[in-house]
Amino acid sequence: MSDARTPAQIEADIKSRRDRLAVTLDEIGVRLHPKTMVGDAKARVASTVDHTAGRAFVAVNRTVSDVKAQFVDEDGSPRLERLVPVALVAVGLVGLLALSTRRRRG
């Protein structure tokens, strides 16, 4: 078994390894460049914000739908048995606030 390589083969192997090492070092340099690192961080933050905002939108949309279902039937007509008491409570609160404000001024 003759594994002996010629000097030209060894030199070619060394050159090939140097070229691969140079490419690897260039890639590391690009990855560790401050602008690249800032860009990557911005992208991660934007992705997190988008994900969080999407989850928040879904949660708010679900809550609004749940509340709406309490006051509107499946066919879209209002549920008066639930709307009237809520409206009366709202009017009462507004009246109490108006009286409280009037008493403070007077």
Side-chain angles (χ1 to χ4, degrees):
M1 287 175 59
S2 175
D3 285 343
R5 297 185 306 162
T6 65
Q9 290 172 327
I10 294 171
E11 287 177 11
D13 187 33
I14 291 171
K15 182 184 180 323
S16 172
R17 287 179 189 223
R18 267 194 203 135
D19 291 344
R20 287 194 308 250
L21 182 59
V23 169
T24 301
L25 289 174
D26 287 345
E27 289 175 1
I28 290 172
V30 168
R31 288 182 189 172
L32 295 179
H33 193 278
K35 286 184 179 181
T36 303
M37 293 174 76
V38 168
D40 291 347
K42 283 181 182 179
R44 282 193 304 276
V45 167
S47 174
T48 301
V49 167
D50 287 346
H51 180 71
T52 303
R55 289 179 59 185
F57 176 79
V58 169
V60 167
N61 195 19
R62 184 179 305 127
T63 302
V64 167
S65 295
D66 291 345
V67 169
K68 182 179 175 186
Q70 297 295 317
F71 297 103
V72 179
D73 286 333
E74 292 82 21
D75 63 353
S77 61
R79 291 180 160 178
L80 294 180
E81 70 276 4
R82 292 193 179 173
L83 282 175
V84 171
V86 170
L88 291 174
V89 168
V91 168
L93 287 174
V94 169
L96 287 174
L97 287 173
L99 282 174
S100 173
T101 303
R102 192 174 290 165
R103 285 185 184 170
R104 285 184 197 167
R105 289 182 185 172

